[in-house]
Every structure is written in structure tokens, then in C-alpha cells.
Amino acid sequence: MKPFLDPDEIRGFINNARPSKERVREIIAKSLDKQRLTLEETASLIQASDPELIEEIKQGAKILKDTIYGQRIVLFAPLYVGNLCINTCAYCGFKSTNKAIRRVTLTKDDLVAQVKALEDAGQKRLILVYGEHPKYDAKFIAETVGIVYSVRSGPGEIRRVNINAAPMDIDGFRIVKDAKIGTYQIFQETYHEETYAKVHLQGIKRNFEWRLTALDRAQEAGIDDVGIGALFGLYDWRFDLLGLLRHANHFEAVYNVGPHTISFPRIQYASQLNIDKSHLVSDADFTRLVAILRLAVPYTGLILTARETAAIRDEIMQFGVSQIDGGTNIEMGGYANKEHAETQDIDLEQFQINDNRSLNEIIDELLQHDYIPSFCTSCYRKGRTGEHFMEFSVPGFIKRYCQPNALLTLAEYLEDYAPEDTREKGYILIRKKLNEIGQDSFRQDLIKKLEQIKEGKRDVYL
Ligand code: SAM
Ligand code: SF4
């Protein structure tokens, strides 16, 4: 048995769950009553295979999103800094044994050029991604984070830099914390240790426990803003869904705060992909698992990436996704390389993405569907950590902070980067949301701040 993960217990929950319709409805109602679900209850939702119940679970997730979080979607972009790697992960194009891949570590100038291109598109939030290699130690990561924060292009700036990097020791985590990272994100890939051993063939990453306890070391080092994830398709999605939940529970029990975000990447085509395909997750199961996750951890942010097609992203966003990437290009050096803006070179990428829309295309479509695109970074910069928890549990928090900040960052985008038709759509949405706020002081304050943005003031937030 691992520190907090007991595979027999997880398997037992799945095998023993035989929920009646009434029980499934009770569990959905518990989540809508803003209570996190137990593993046993989540296993009941997982085992509810009647199409009518699956639909009710999805409806439950939609209601939870609409009544609690509203229509905001936070936007970010991934930026690959280096693809050197000493590990051999069967699913990843960057595996050390892949000789077809071109190995690149961005120089300082390359990194600056990438960040300028991202800022010129309107991005404000990035996640930096690194292979696992002695060259990418904590000091290197901290330096690259510092460079990203320092780049300015016109009115552009990156206000939040998250990282996805290999596990570090406590001293290493202290170094990256001092570089003022936002979220430290790491995926366990699979919580099933035997499968983990089969797909991690060489390198440090073979050590299941070192990875499983990475976020505990991050906490020791003072990083309390962390993101977890599982790579769906390696093993039974039911098991890994409960694994994620157990990991989140561990955090709440020991540190009194859950993970900030949960990611649920699904395996995509990659150069020299070499996996057993029997656990690949169908679209139907994938949409279902995201709805179950939403209900199970109602106050945790959910991240959905451009690995998925626009159609799947549109469907799943309704179930309470809080962040998506937009204008994504995961080719090494890809953002600054205009010729490659819309093509993919699999020998420069970790895997293939399926949503190549530009940031503006994504924003335009979000606006058409009445979502509020947001680049808000205010909680983090005002020291309000645990923002999802606050959004969820502090009455009026969303009305007081999240919604106005989403509108203010949208207005900045509309002023600085949007083409005319997107700008029009954006201001129609802003006016509509202002009208919904009513005639109170929030509304007046927000109107004043929106005017300041039109007059050229930037980085206006609550
Ligand atoms: N090297 C670091 C590590 O392993 O933790 C960074 C992670 S990697 C650059 C980011 C994530 O991409 C991995 O944790 C994995 O979940 C995901 N990934 C790898 N190969 C993938 C594939 N073929 N399809 C989808 N996601 C993949
Ligand atoms: Fe390296 Fe990470 Fe890819 Fe594994 S998933 S091969 S550690 S980059």
C-alpha cells in the first residue's frame, strides 16, 4: 500500500457499487448541495450505466456549473521550453529512445520571441512545460519563469506563469516557489502501479512513489497551489478517476486545502506511440467521466486542453470546465514561427493536438455561446489563494470578484487585440452582464473601471 493510495480499496469501491436510481439521484443532489462526494458515492456514479442516469449526471454537472460558477472560462496557453528527456514513457513523443524527435531547448532569445508572440495574440496566462532532464533543474526552471515574467510587447505582459515539470526535492521546490510560479502541475499519469510500471520503461519517472509524493514535497516547500491529473487511456478510467479523487482527498485531509486544478488529458497520437490500446477512452465515456468529476469535486478547477477536438471541447465545457487553452501550438518554438502557425510537425511535438483554433477564434466562439472569456489573475496577485474554494463557498465572491474581473480582462483584450467583429460581440456581452448586475454599487464601480480601460489604463482588477 502506498502512502494514501490503496488499490484494493479503490477496486473494491468500483466492484461493490450497485446503485439504485434513487441512490444515484441522492448523490447528484448531495453535490448540488455543495458537498464533495466520497469515493464510494463517486463509484456509484461511475457504475450508473443506465442512459437515463448518465444523462441526469450530465445535467447535474451542468446545473452545478450554471448555478455556482456561471459562464466564465479562463484562458491560457502552454509553452514548451525544452524537450530533452531521460525517461521512456511509452505514450510520449519526447521519450529518450525516440531518435526521430528533434531535441530543442529554447535559448533565452527563443523564449523571449515565443513570449512576445503569445503576448501579441493577447495571452496573459501561460503554463511552461519541460521534459525531465538534468539540464532542467529547479534553477533553470526558475530562470525561465523569470524571463517570461520580464517580457513586454506593446501592452502585453504575462501575469501568471504556471509550470508542468518533473518532480523535485524540497529544496528544488523552494527555488521555483521563489520565482513566483502560479500553479505547480504534475500528472500521476495512472494511479494503477502495475500499469505505471509497464508504461514507464526507463528513467527516474519509473519511481511511482517519488511522483506520487511530489506534491507533498511541494507543500513542504510552501507551494500550496498545485494541480493534479491522470492521463486517461493508460488504464481503466474508472480506477484513475477514483485515484484522482483519493489524491485530492489526501490533500484536503493533510493540508486542509485541495488541489487548485484537476486535468484529465486523454492519450493522443504521438511520434512512436507504443501503448496497449485496450484502455483508450471513448468520447461517450470521456464526457461522462468529466461530468462525474465535476460532481465529485464541486469546488476544484477543471482544465480541458486542445488535445481534444473543438466539438468535444464545446460539449464538455458545459459540465463545469473552468480553464481551457486557446491558440495552442506545442511545437518547440512554434508560436514565433509564423509559417508553422497552423500546421503540426509531429517530430517537434510531444503529441498531436486536435484544436488548432487561434486565441481569437476561440474567444469569438465563446462569446457566441454566451461564455465570458477571462484572463483574470487577480486572486493570485492579491494573495487570495484557494480561489476555486472561495468562489464556491464564500457567498457573493463570484459576483464581487470573478465576474467583474473576467469582464475587465475581456475588455482589455477587446481593446488591444480583437478584430472589430469580435470587439462588437464582446461589448454586447459586457453590456448584457452589466445589466444583469442591477443598479448597485458593484455596477457603478465596474462601469468606471471599464471606462478607465477604454481610456488606456491597463491591469485594472478587483
Ligand atoms: N516531463 C514532465 C513530466 O513527465 O511530468 C512534463 C510532462 S509532459 C511534457 C505533460 C503531460 O503530457 C504528461 O504528464 C502526460 O500526461 C501528457 N502526455 C504525454 N504524452 C501524451 C500523449 N501522447 N497524449 C496526450 N497527453 C500526453
Ligand atoms: Fe519525458 Fe515527460 Fe514525455 Fe515522459 S511524459 S517522456 S518524462 S516529457
Side-chain angles (χ1 to χ4, degrees):
M1 190 178 131
K2 293 295 155 190
F4 52 86
L5 191 74
D6 179 350
D8 294 336
E9 181 196 45
I10 291 186
R11 193 40 76 195
F13 284 133
I14 296 170
N15 292 344
N16 296 330
R18 303 257 181 289
S20 63
K21 274 191 182 174
E22 291 64 41
R23 181 70 189 126
V24 171
R25 287 175 185 145
E26 264 171 36
I27 296 169
I28 298 172
K30 179 179 172 191
S31 172
L32 292 180
D33 192 34
K34 294 185 160 192
Q35 297 179 58
R36 171 168 77 55
L37 303 181
T38 63
L39 265 76
E40 198 176 2
E41 288 161 342
T42 308
S44 293
L45 296 188
I46 287 173
Q47 292 299 57
S49 52
D50 176 343
E52 187 190 341
L53 287 179
I54 293 177
E55 198 43 45
E56 286 182 34
I57 289 169
K58 290 184 181 172
Q59 285 305 324
K62 271 188 205 168
I63 295 169
L64 191 77
K65 174 180 170 54
D66 292 347
T67 55
I68 307 218
Y69 292 107
Q71 296 306 102
R72 285 165 303 116
I73 297 278
V74 171
L75 290 157
F76 71 96
L79 170 53
Y80 280 68
V81 179
N83 68 0
L84 299 181
C85 196
I86 50 164
N87 294 322
T88 309
C89 306
Y91 46 83
C92 178
F94 294 164
K95 61 171 83 66
S96 59
T97 50
N98 187 358
K99 302 294 174 229
I101 209 94
R102 269 177 280 155
R103 304 283 168 181
V104 179
T105 303
L106 301 185
T107 62
K108 183 176 177 193
D109 287 350
D110 295 337
L111 186 56
V112 170
Q114 289 281 88
V115 177
K116 282 193 168 158
L118 286 156
E119 289 179 356
D120 291 345
Q123 303 281 3
K124 295 282 185 280
R125 306 171 56 115
L126 300 184
I127 181 154
L128 304 190
V129 187
Y130 310 78
E132 182 157 5
H133 193 272
K135 195 166 172 178
Y136 309 147
D137 61 6
K139 211 166 138 264
F140 173 86
I141 292 173
E143 273 166 21
T144 52
V145 170
I147 293 169
V148 172
Y149 277 129
S150 72
V151 176
R152 295 281 181 281
S153 182
E157 61 176 335
I158 300 302
R159 298 178 184 154
R160 181 173 174 114
V161 181
N162 300 329
I163 63 169
N164 180 316
M168 293 167 224
D169 59 18
I170 296 172
D171 286 340
F173 279 123
R174 286 201 181 103
I175 293 171
V176 294
K177 179 185 161 53
D178 288 346
K180 302 199 175 356
I181 58 163
T183 305
Y184 169 64
Q185 183 191 67
I186 185 173
F187 305 154
Q188 186 59 28
E189 319 298 9
T190 175
Y191 289 89
H192 188 252
E193 197 170 356
E194 282 164 36
T195 305
Y196 188 94
K198 280 188 206 150
V199 296
H200 297 107
L201 303 162
Q202 292 179 60
I204 302 174
K205 197 164 167 181
R206 276 185 66 71
N207 188 335
F208 180 82
E209 206 162 320
W210 176 247
R211 197 164 180 93
L212 191 64
T213 52
L215 295 176
D216 297 82
R217 293 191 298 282
Q219 287 279 347
E220 283 285 311
I223 299 176
D224 58 1
D225 185 333
V226 297
I228 63 173
L231 181 57
F232 282 95
L234 293 177
Y235 185 58
D236 182 0
W237 64 266
R238 298 163 186 84
F239 188 98
D240 278 324
L241 183 51
L242 289 190
L244 282 170
L245 208 58
R246 171 53 86 217
H247 204 167
N249 291 355
H250 162 70
F251 264 81
E252 282 164 24
V254 181
Y255 308 107
N256 217 11
V257 52
H260 184 170
T261 56
I262 298 184
S263 300
F264 34 87
R266 196 163 50 144
I267 292 183
Q268 307 299 326
Y269 175 72
S271 169
Q272 299 196 2
L273 180 68
N274 172 24
I275 52 154
D276 158 14
K277 300 208 167 54
S278 61
H279 294 295
L280 292 183
V281 182
S282 67
D283 289 353
D285 282 343
F286 189 59
T287 48
R288 192 172 148 204
L289 88 79
V290 178
I292 295 172
L293 191 58
R294 173 69 302 154
L295 291 173
V297 283
Y299 46 75
T300 305
L302 298 185
I303 301 183
L304 174 63
T305 69
R307 288 176 180 86
E308 301 297 334
T309 61
I312 292 278
R313 297 232 279 180
D314 288 350
E315 182 178 357
I316 287 181
M317 259 187 315
Q318 309 169 67
F319 305 144
V321 165
S322 31
Q323 295 187 31
I324 63 169
D325 51 344
T328 299
N329 185 325
I330 61 170
E331 221 175 85
M332 300 302 309
Y335 292 111
N337 183 350
K338 297 276 183 279
E339 281 164 30
H340 278 210
E342 276 162 24
T343 55
Q344 292 190 53
D345 180 347
I346 204 70
D347 290 336
L348 276 173
E349 294 186 330
Q350 191 187 17
F351 49 81
Q352 184 178 314
I353 60 165
N354 290 299
D355 186 351
N356 287 313
R357 287 174 294 175
S358 68
L359 179 62
N360 193 71
E361 281 170 320
I362 297 233
I363 288 183
D364 202 274
E365 286 186 34
L366 288 174
L367 292 169
Q368 287 177 45
H369 292 98
D370 235 16
Y371 287 106
I372 313 174
S374 172
F375 292 95
C376 180
T377 51
S378 83
C379 279
Y380 151 78
R381 291 158 79 216
K382 288 241 172 178
R384 295 190 297 256
T385 51
E387 73 197 83
H388 281 286
F389 184 74
M390 290 197 272
E391 284 170 27
F392 187 80
S393 55
V394 178
F397 190 89
I398 291 183
K399 185 180 167 201
R400 178 77 187 86
Y401 296 109
C402 312
Q403 176 127 333
N405 284 331
L407 296 175
L408 290 168
T409 55
L410 172 61
E412 273 189 352
Y413 175 82
L414 299 175
E415 290 298 318
D416 292 337
Y417 303 103
E420 195 47 41
D421 53 336
T422 308
R423 193 167 185 273
E424 266 172 39
K425 283 180 205 145
Y427 276 113
I428 290 172
L429 183 97
I430 290 175
R431 279 195 293 276
K432 186 170 154 198
K433 295 295 165 191
L434 278 172
N435 288 336
E436 284 169 15
I437 296 174
Q439 290 295 335
D440 58 18
S441 59
F442 287 147
R443 186 169 188 266
Q444 291 316 320
D445 190 26
L446 187 52
I447 290 174
K448 205 168 91 203
K449 289 194 159 48
L450 286 164
E451 275 161 11
Q452 290 172 348
I453 289 175
K454 282 200 167 171
E455 284 157 13
K457 192 164 175 200
R458 292 292 170 264
D459 207 12
V460 182
Y461 58 96
L462 297 157

